[in-house]
Amino acid sequence: MDYEANEPLPDTMCAVVCHGPRDYRLQRWPVPQPGPEEVVVRVQAVGICASDLKCYQGAETFWGNGETPAYCQPPVIPGHEFVGEVVALGPGAAEKYNLALGDRAVSEQIVPTWDDRYAARGQYWLCSEHNVYGFRQKTFGAMAEYMKFPFGALNYKVPDAIPAAHAAFIEPLACSIHAVQRGEIELDHVVVIAGAGPLGLGMIAAARLKNPRLLIVIDYNNHRLNVAKACGADIVLNPQHTQVVQAVLDLTDGYGCDVYIEATGHPAAVQQGLDMICKRGTFVEFSVMGQPASIDWSIIGDHKELNIHGSSLSPYTYPIAIDMIAKKQLPLDQIITHELPLAEHQKGFDLVAAGDQSIKVVLKP
C-alpha cells in the first residue's frame, strides 16, 4: 500500500450504479484506491440533485439525441452533492489540500484537466472535457460507501460542527451563490427568483445578503414559498393564485424587475421572465432544462436590450457556502426534508420527481 490510510480499505462496497436511463442498480463495486494527490473518503451524505433526476429520466442533455453525443458515460456511480470522512490519502494529497485522516471534506463537482485555455484564464469550471462527479468515467460520484477525489480536484475541509446532511448542501448552495453573483444585484434592485427548490432557496439566502430593495420569489408550492420567506424573501407569489407578471409590474410602477433568475427548469419560466423584466435588466439562466425553450429573441435585443447571463457550477464559491452553512444563514432543517439509506435510492428519486412532499432529499450510505 503506497498511501496513508486509517485502516486497509475493503475490496468492494455497496453503490448505486447508473447503467442507462431508469436503469440505476444497487450493487457491489470495487472500492477506489488513491494515487498521487488523490483522496478517498467514506461518504457520509449525498444529495439527489434535479440534474440527477433528469439524467435518470433520460433527458437529452445527458443522453444525446442522435445529433449530439451523450454526456453521461455509464456504467457510472451518480452523486455530486456530498461530504465524506477522509480515510485514505495518496502521496502529496495531505500537503496539497491541508487534509488529514479523519477530516471531513468536500470536492467541487467538476474536476478540471487544467490544460486548456479556460484554465489558463482562471475559468477552470468551464473545462473543455467537463468531468463532473457522477456522470463521467473519470469522476465517479458519491452514491456509494466510498468515493475518490481524483488528481486535479478542488477539495475543501468541512467543520465538524456542520451535520453531514447539511454539509451535502454545500455544492448546491455554492452553485446558487454563483448564480446570484451573475445577477450583479445592486441595493436599489428588484430581484425575482423563479423556483423555490433547493437551489432557488439557496439563491434567496445569497441574494438576501446583497440586500436588494425587494426580493420576490415565484413557485407553485406554498410550502416551499413559506421556506422561501424563512430564507429571506420579501414577497412570495404563486402563479396558481396570482397573475405573477402583472404583480411584478404593479410592484415596480410598470417597469418590471431589474434581475430575474430562472431556477425552475421549466421552459415557461423563460418567457415569464422576459415578460416581467425591465429594459436593460439582467436575466440569469441557471436551470438544466429537460426540453428546449422557444422564445422571441427580439425581446432580448430590440425590445428591451437585456443582459443575458448564463450560470454554470460554482467557481470560487465553496468557501463562501461553507461559511454560510457554518453561520446558519439559511434554514437547512426546513430545506432538507428527507434522509434515506442508500438502499432506498429509488424512493429518493421518486420523491424528487414528485416534488410535492420533499425539498432536498439526502442519501446516507
Side-chain angles (χ1 to χ4, degrees):
M1 183 174 69
D2 60 355
Y3 55 86
E4 182 184 4
N6 281 326
E7 57 190 42
L9 296 175
D11 293 329
T12 64
M13 62 182 178
C14 186
V16 175
V17 182
C18 164
H19 290 270
R22 300 188 182 276
D23 186 5
Y24 284 39
R25 310 172 197 172
L26 190 68
Q27 62 185 86
R28 302 303 298 180
W29 198 263
V31 172
Q33 310 292 316
E37 298 187 5
E38 294 185 334
V39 180
V40 172
V41 300
R42 182 183 290 114
V43 179
Q44 296 176 325
V46 52
I48 301 177
C49 178
S51 60
D52 292 320
L53 175 65
K54 288 184 172 70
C55 185
Y56 170 79
Q57 293 174 331
E60 290 182 3
T61 299
F62 298 99
W63 298 104
N65 58 10
E67 297 179 2
T68 58
Y71 175 72
C72 189
Q73 298 174 329
V76 65
I77 298 172
H80 57 274
E81 307 175 353
F82 53 78
V83 65
E85 177 193 357
V86 176
V87 294
L89 291 161
E95 297 79 8
K96 181 173 182 179
Y97 297 111
N98 192 29
L99 290 174
L101 296 176
D103 283 345
R104 300 166 76 230
V106 292
S107 185
E108 285 199 33
Q109 72 285 84
I110 190 166
V111 180
T113 58
W114 300 107
D115 61 359
D116 64 6
R117 79 174 192 178
Y118 298 111
R121 294 175 177 179
Q123 301 166 337
Y124 66 87
W125 70 100
L126 302 176
C127 177
S128 299
E129 197 166 303
H130 209 76
N131 291 312
V132 171
Y133 288 113
F135 302 105
R136 311 283 286 178
Q137 288 295 308
K138 291 184 179 180
T139 48
F140 275 35
M143 292 186 190
E145 293 177 285
Y146 297 87
M147 73 173 295
K148 181 172 73 174
F149 302 168
F151 181 85
L154 295 106
N155 308 325
Y156 305 90
K157 186 175 178 179
V158 176
D160 291 335
I162 298 177
H166 292 195
F169 200 74
I170 291 169
E171 191 276 345
L173 180 56
C175 292
S176 298
I177 293 166
H178 180 53
V180 168
Q181 291 173 335
R182 293 288 283 160
E184 300 176 348
I185 295 169
E186 299 289 349
L187 294 174
D188 64 341
H189 279 171
V190 173
V191 178
V192 172
I193 296 174
L199 288 150
L201 293 170
M203 292 173 195
I204 297 161
R208 183 72 276 158
L209 296 178
K210 293 280 191 176
N211 203 26
R213 178 161 59 90
L214 193 60
L215 180 55
I216 303 168
V217 177
I218 299 172
D219 200 279
Y220 281 88
N221 185 304
N222 284 328
H223 173 65
R224 294 188 178 199
L225 289 175
N226 286 331
V227 179
K229 291 180 182 177
C231 289
D234 295 312
I235 294 174
V236 297
L237 302 173
N238 187 327
Q240 294 182 97
H241 312 301
T242 304
Q243 295 290 335
V244 294
V245 173
Q246 189 60 51
V248 171
L249 293 175
D250 290 343
L251 288 164
T252 56
D253 296 324
Y255 288 101
C257 60
D258 300 279
V259 179
Y260 180 91
I261 304 178
E262 194 289 302
T264 71
H266 196 288
V270 177
Q271 186 64 55
Q272 170 185 271
L274 294 175
D275 291 341
M276 70 171 58
I277 198 168
C278 70
K279 294 180 179 180
R280 271 267 172 143
T282 297
F283 187 117
V284 180
E285 179 52 54
F286 174 83
S287 295
V288 176
M289 293 285 181
Q291 53 187 320
S294 179
I295 60 167
D296 178 0
W297 275 67
S298 60
I299 298 172
I300 297 168
D302 183 63
H303 294 184
K304 291 190 175 183
E305 194 175 285
L306 298 177
N307 302 306
I308 306 296
H309 291 181
S311 180
S312 178
L313 304 186
S314 50
Y316 307 108
T317 57
Y318 266 61
I320 304 171
I322 293 169
D323 186 60
M324 284 182 65
I325 291 174
K327 291 178 177 176
K328 300 181 180 180
Q329 290 180 317
L330 63 167
L332 282 173
D333 286 333
Q334 297 181 55
I335 294 172
I336 297 165
T337 54
H338 295 78
E339 299 181 35
L340 304 173
L342 197 64
E344 295 185 23
H345 67 280
Q346 186 61 58
K347 178 181 177 182
F349 276 87
D350 291 344
L351 281 165
V352 176
D356 54 349
Q357 299 178 28
S358 69
I359 299 179
K360 170 54 67 178
V361 178
V362 171
L363 302 176
K364 304 188 85 169

